[in-house]
Every structure is written in structure tokens, then in C-alpha cells.
Amino acid sequence: MKHLKISIWLWVWLALAGCASPPQSAHMNSFEPSLFMPQESVQVPLINGGNLQWRVHATVNGQSGIFILDTGANFSIITPQFAKKLGLYDAAVDGKFADPHPTDRTVKYAPIHTFKLGTVEYFGFYAAILDLDHINRAIHTEVAGIIGNNLLNQTAYSIDWKKNILTLDSRTIEMPTNALRISISNNRIYCPVHINGKEFQFALDTGSYRCLLADQEFVHLGIPDEKISQLEVPEIDISETRKLKRPLIKLDEFQIGNIDRKNYSILVWDHNVLGMDLLESYILTVDARRHWLLLDESPSPLNSIPR
């Protein structure tokens, strides 16, 4: 995750996700959980942490914890402290975790037997154990981990940022006419964005406080010098905190679906990201199973289907 110097925090969780190779174990095979829902649609209250950052209460093996809700994370994570509280740290097994840094790391994976989000229960999967102390210090709170797409993508879901409500829905829902077709790669959601008349693929990332444009796209767009400035940006990812200078550019047009922003300011980074500075104004609805995404100011289509 990363943050902008001028009081705008920017957490980019794509650093979580790279690739993860399953740990070797005789009793669990995957990061993908099984799912139990007592009803077709379940609403879960969210916690607005301020600075465009949302969290949620979850119960893991009977123990409660606060988790960051992050569509930029391929897989879910728990902290070493929470793993020890659960009695899972010593039972964890080794596996490879490849992030954007040049070398793979060996990390521990904990076997999660039950993970409850509201009344929805995910069970029988692995979660990476990663130290998030530097993130806790930065956001002045104590999180037990991160909920990633291996859980969220099991159902359709909508997030109403103004009402602080996450809705999980197991029903098969037809793609609305105003929805966007998305692609899925390694559990990560990508959707088309048009910038200055050209189409690019952007990753959906509710863990990022701001939209980002990849360096290579920046080069290809040929932005004039008068629309480029430099900002000192402290970067906070899952490994460490760094200070970097990054270009801030002004785009003539930034369009996603029916949303069209003129003279749109965006930070240049190493990947394309749809972040919360744009997402917070809309109700986000996603069905990764049927490959569509909707950003709309009206109620989610999940709430318009008879229950």
C-alpha cells in the first residue's frame, strides 16, 4: 500500500498478490475455500476507517478480528499475532510467495478451518501469515489480516460505501446492460478504462486510496510536460515503508463505463489500479463468476432481485 504526502493515504494491495504456490500439506490442497451460506443474500456491516479505507469484523476458528477489505489482494492474509492467538502458527507450513519484488520469499501458510463473515462461512483453505505491523502503525489500528479475492469472488457482492454495507449473494445474476465485462487473472479483477481515447486494463483495488497509472502506459500516452508534476510519495506495502518521487499527471479524459472524468489527476506507479478516490462515489457490484462489474449511484442490482 502507498500513501500520498498531502493527507491522502494510498494503500495499494496489489503487492500482496503476485503469485502464491500452494504449501505442501496432506490435509488441504488450495487457497480456494468451500462456502456455506444460510440464505441466498447476506449483509455485513463495514467499518469506515477514514482516509478511504474500509474494514470488517470476521471470526476465524471462533476468534474475532478486524480485517481490511481488499479487492487488490489475490489471497487472504492473517498476521503472525493472530495466527498465534488461533494456535495456527506452529501448525503452519512453508510455501512460496512471489510479490513484485525481484525474489520469491518463503512464507508460512496457516490452515483455516472456518472463516465467518457475517453469517457466511468459508472453510478449508490456506491463508498466508505476513507481518503487518508497519501497516498497523500507519493506520493507527490493529488489524488481524486482509480479506482477499479468494473469499470475495466466491459470490456476487456489492459494496455501498455511504451506508457501510457489504452484500454477499450466492444467486446467479444476469449481467446488467450498463455493467462492464471484466477479466480474471490469478483471482484479480481487471476492467476496461479509456484514457484519452485509448483502452487500458485496470485492476480493481479497494485497498488503494487512489487510482494509479502504470509507467509503461504513461510513456505511451505522451503526456505534455505542462501536465506533469512530481510528488514525494511514501510507499507502504506488505514488506516495508519507502519514500519515492512519482509523477502526478493530468489526463484529458478518464472513462470507465458511463463514468467520464475530465482533467483527471492520477499518480504514475508500476501498475494500473482503480482506487477508492473514484470508487467511493458509486455502489460497486461485482460478479466474478459471471465476469461483470457495475459502478452506479443507484442501488445495487443484488438488492432489486426478489428474495
Side-chain angles (χ1 to χ4, degrees):
M1 294 200 290
K2 308 159 185 171
H3 73 274
L4 191 64
K5 188 176 182 181
I6 321 168
S7 76
I8 301 173
W9 288 82
L10 177 65
W11 305 89
V12 179
W13 282 109
L14 285 172
L16 295 176
C19 299
S21 61
Q24 297 180 355
S25 171
H27 60 284
M28 283 190 181
N29 300 314
S30 174
F31 298 107
E32 302 301 321
S34 299
L35 176 69
F36 171 75
M37 293 185 69
Q39 58 224 55
E40 289 178 325
S41 185
V42 172
Q43 289 192 333
V44 182
L46 298 177
I47 304 164
N48 185 347
N51 293 324
L52 301 180
Q53 196 261 325
W54 272 261
R55 308 165 207 156
V56 64
H57 283 282
T59 303
V60 184
N61 294 0
Q63 294 284 345
S64 179
I66 295 177
F67 286 75
I68 294 170
L69 188 71
D70 189 1
T71 63
N74 305 42
F75 305 104
S76 298
I77 289 168
I78 62 174
T79 64
Q81 297 92 326
F82 195 62
K84 290 173 183 176
K85 184 177 180 180
L86 296 172
L88 295 178
Y89 193 83
D90 292 337
V93 294
D94 290 336
K96 286 291 184 182
F97 187 89
D99 61 20
H101 298 290
T103 58
D104 292 359
R105 291 183 294 159
T106 299
V107 299
K108 288 185 175 293
Y109 289 87
I112 304 297
H113 297 288
T114 176
F115 190 111
K116 291 190 72 175
L117 194 55
T119 58
V120 177
E121 185 174 358
Y122 308 88
F123 55 93
F125 67 98
Y126 280 101
I129 301 175
L130 291 174
D131 186 352
L132 304 180
D133 284 350
H134 59 298
I135 293 167
N136 282 325
R137 287 192 297 270
I139 62 178
H140 307 293
T141 191
E142 187 74 26
V143 296
I146 296 158
I147 295 175
N149 288 332
N150 64 321
L151 303 190
L152 291 173
N153 288 351
Q154 297 298 316
T155 65
Y157 64 87
S158 74
I159 306 174
D160 189 326
W161 311 105
K162 293 181 174 62
K163 293 182 179 178
N164 294 322
I165 292 292
L166 166 68
T167 301
L168 303 169
D169 203 300
S170 63
R171 291 169 291 184
T172 299
I173 300 163
E174 291 300 322
M175 178 177 171
T177 56
N178 56 340
L180 292 170
R181 179 65 63 182
I182 60 175
S183 59
I184 312 292
S185 177
N186 195 26
N187 265 359
R188 195 177 298 167
I189 293 169
Y190 293 89
C191 56
V193 172
H194 289 85
I195 297 175
N196 296 356
K198 299 179 181 180
E199 183 174 302
F200 302 92
Q201 292 295 312
F202 272 60
L204 178 71
D205 191 352
T206 61
S208 171
Y209 282 52
R210 187 156 185 161
C211 294
L212 303 174
L213 179 69
D215 290 285
Q216 61 184 16
E217 321 290 21
F218 168 52
V219 172
H220 292 154
L221 283 168
I223 304 296
D225 290 344
E226 62 269 20
K227 294 191 175 184
I228 305 172
S229 57
Q230 296 288 327
L231 283 178
E232 185 178 83
V233 185
E235 177 190 31
I236 305 173
D237 63 19
I238 57 170
S239 302
E240 59 182 329
T241 300
R242 296 172 290 272
K243 284 191 177 182
L244 302 171
K245 279 196 173 181
R246 287 289 184 170
L248 178 70
I249 63 174
K250 187 165 286 188
L251 302 172
D252 294 335
E253 184 178 40
F254 185 94
Q255 183 178 15
I256 173 170
N258 294 326
I259 301 167
D260 192 357
R261 300 287 178 91
K262 306 294 186 184
N263 296 316
Y264 186 68
S265 294
I266 190 168
L267 269 176
V268 177
W269 218 267
D270 52 9
H271 37 248
N272 293 334
V273 169
L274 277 180
M276 288 303 302
D277 62 328
L278 181 113
L279 298 175
E280 66 157 345
S281 299
Y282 306 93
I283 296 172
L284 169 66
T285 307
V286 178
D287 192 340
R289 305 163 306 170
R290 298 184 69 85
H291 291 83
W292 62 264
L293 172 153
L294 179 63
L295 284 172
D296 205 344
E297 295 176 309
S298 58
S300 167
L302 302 188
N303 297 325
S304 62
I305 300 173
R307 286 171 167 77

